[in-house]
Amino acid sequence: MTRSTEAVHPPTMADVAREAGVSHQTVSRVLSGHPNVRASTREQVTAAIERLGYRRNPAARALVTRRTRTLGVVAVDPTLYGPASTLAGLQEAARDEGYLVSTVTLRNGGHALADALDHLAAWGVEGAVVITPQRSSVQALARLAPPFPVVTVEGSHDLDIPGVSLDQELGARLVTEHLLAAGHGTVWHVAGPEDWLESAARTEGWRAVLEERGIEPPRVLRGDWSPLSGYHAGQELAGLTLARRGSPPVTAAFVANDQMALGVLRALREAGIHTPRQVAVAGFDDIPEAGFFPPPLTTVRQDFTAIGRRSIQLLLEHIEGVATGTEHVVVEPQLIVRASTRAPVDAPA
């Protein structure tokens, strides 16, 4: 039996034109969405594309249009739920707009950010979204001049760069007000790392609510976003509760993210302290597991889909020249109340 040595090549635009009985230029107009094509011709070309299984060559298109339809994303520590969910939201939004995404993970330092942007420039991205939750990365970005439009996510509004962020301070205010409304005399706080802008904003929202009520804020306990750091903070809260050395007493805690809240809950449980009867606990993020914590966790939900969609839209507006300013878009959070918070046992009826 003789085997053919003829190479099988993917269908080309010329193949589609022959199959549809139209010109190469007509196929190109259909693919680019040109309005001056009859509906019947468009259907004819579309049917030929489906029969042949034709797929456009992005590289060839880029040579003609000088557009790569590729966006860059600089991500920070995607092992954490917040940055990972933000990245997923950006990728989904870019795909919905017909763009590819080239992602670079940023480790630390200004040189790392500069190298990340250089890498994206070498890939020919049309613009980039830079996730900048840390003060150090914001400061580094302020010193750079990227060769393409840039939009920040969770960056400082002090930057002369367009950006999108969740209203972190509002989220903290919502959960603190919820705990005070349940009858707690005060709310203790387990904060995230000092260099993180989100951590600072959540602490500020918590403190502002207490001070507005004339309540002296308790000292801040600090973690690093991990369950282990939350566990250590929970041990300290448990010690204050059992020894009745809390001044003011510990009956409620707002923890700056759900992973740390998980650690706090375990430490309290191991110390024989019931949540929420003795100490109510609330978190931030609404991770998928939050509703299955023992007990289910009251938390603040971030709409990462909305953050991703608005960030990509804002970036495309700057790429297309529709927007030229330094607009900062704020997405509102949502308080999710579950069984981990309720009135303390000695609260007045």
Side-chain angles (χ1 to χ4, degrees):
M1 181 172 60
T2 304
R3 179 176 296 177
S4 173
T5 59
E6 182 180 353
V8 178
H9 67 274
T12 65
M13 196 181 297
D15 295 329
V16 173
R18 282 193 296 270
E19 177 73 13
V22 298
S23 68
H24 183 283
Q25 186 179 25
T26 298
V27 174
S28 178
R29 286 179 175 176
V30 170
L31 290 171
S32 63
H34 198 285
N36 296 333
V37 179
R38 287 198 302 267
S40 58
T41 302
R42 191 180 303 277
E43 292 174 3
Q44 191 175 335
V45 172
T46 301
I49 289 172
E50 293 177 353
R51 286 196 299 272
L52 296 177
Y54 171 74
R55 296 291 181 271
R56 295 195 80 176
N57 184 334
R61 183 180 185 277
L63 288 173
V64 176
T65 64
R66 300 186 183 277
R67 296 286 300 272
T68 63
R69 295 196 71 82
T70 301
L71 303 177
V73 174
V74 179
V76 179
D77 198 353
T79 61
L80 294 173
Y81 176 75
S85 299
T86 300
L87 177 57
L90 290 168
Q91 291 172 331
E92 180 182 356
R95 285 195 302 269
D96 289 345
E97 295 290 343
Y99 281 77
L100 299 174
V101 174
S102 179
T103 304
V104 179
T105 301
L106 182 65
R107 296 305 175 189
N108 48 50
H111 292 299
L113 180 56
D115 290 344
L117 294 176
D118 286 345
H119 175 82
L120 293 175
W123 276 94
V125 303
E126 297 183 32
V129 176
V130 182
I131 304 173
T132 51
Q134 293 166 297
R135 188 172 289 102
S136 56
S137 59
V138 169
Q139 293 169 345
L141 184 59
R143 295 192 295 267
L144 300 175
F148 41 67
V150 166
V151 166
T152 65
V153 173
E154 297 304 339
S156 171
H157 286 196
D158 294 333
L159 283 176
D160 290 329
I161 299 174
V164 178
S165 61
L166 185 89
D167 194 333
Q168 307 286 344
E169 185 172 339
L170 174 60
R173 293 182 68 96
L174 290 174
V175 72
T176 306
E177 289 168 351
H178 163 71
L179 289 167
L180 292 177
H184 297 280
T186 191
V187 179
W188 287 68
H189 182 45
V190 180
E194 289 187 82
D195 186 46
W196 285 66
L197 297 168
E198 296 167 333
S199 174
R202 293 171 195 178
T203 299
E204 181 57 33
W206 160 80
R207 179 179 288 110
V209 170
L210 295 182
E211 291 178 346
E212 288 167 7
R213 305 291 182 88
I215 302 170
E216 179 69 23
R219 63 184 175 85
V220 174
L221 283 64
R222 194 167 295 280
D224 61 8
W225 299 130
S226 71
L228 179 60
S229 68
Y231 178 75
H232 290 154
Q235 288 179 314
E236 187 169 355
L237 291 173
L240 293 170
T241 303
L242 294 174
R244 298 188 179 276
R245 289 186 289 108
S247 180
V250 180
T251 64
F254 162 43
V255 188
N257 78 333
D258 291 350
Q259 282 97 342
M260 290 195 300
L262 177 61
V264 169
L265 288 171
R266 176 173 175 176
L268 294 176
R269 187 168 59 251
E270 288 181 352
I273 297 171
H274 186 274
T275 299
R277 190 176 65 247
Q278 292 171 276
V279 177
V281 176
F284 204 109
D285 281 342
D286 194 28
I287 64 176
E289 300 84 3
F292 300 91
F293 281 12
L297 184 68
T298 291
T299 186
V300 177
R301 178 176 295 165
Q302 303 193 62
D303 191 343
F304 293 107
T305 299
I307 292 171
R309 182 175 62 252
R310 195 63 193 92
S311 299
I312 294 299
Q313 288 173 347
L314 185 59
L315 179 60
L316 293 179
E317 288 171 5
H318 280 266
I319 291 173
E320 300 291 345
V322 177
T324 57
T326 57
E327 179 184 4
H328 291 99
V329 179
V330 178
V331 177
E332 289 197 0
Q334 179 185 5
L335 177 66
I336 306 298
V337 178
R338 298 193 179 100
S340 69
T341 58
R342 61 183 248 188
V345 292
D346 58 349

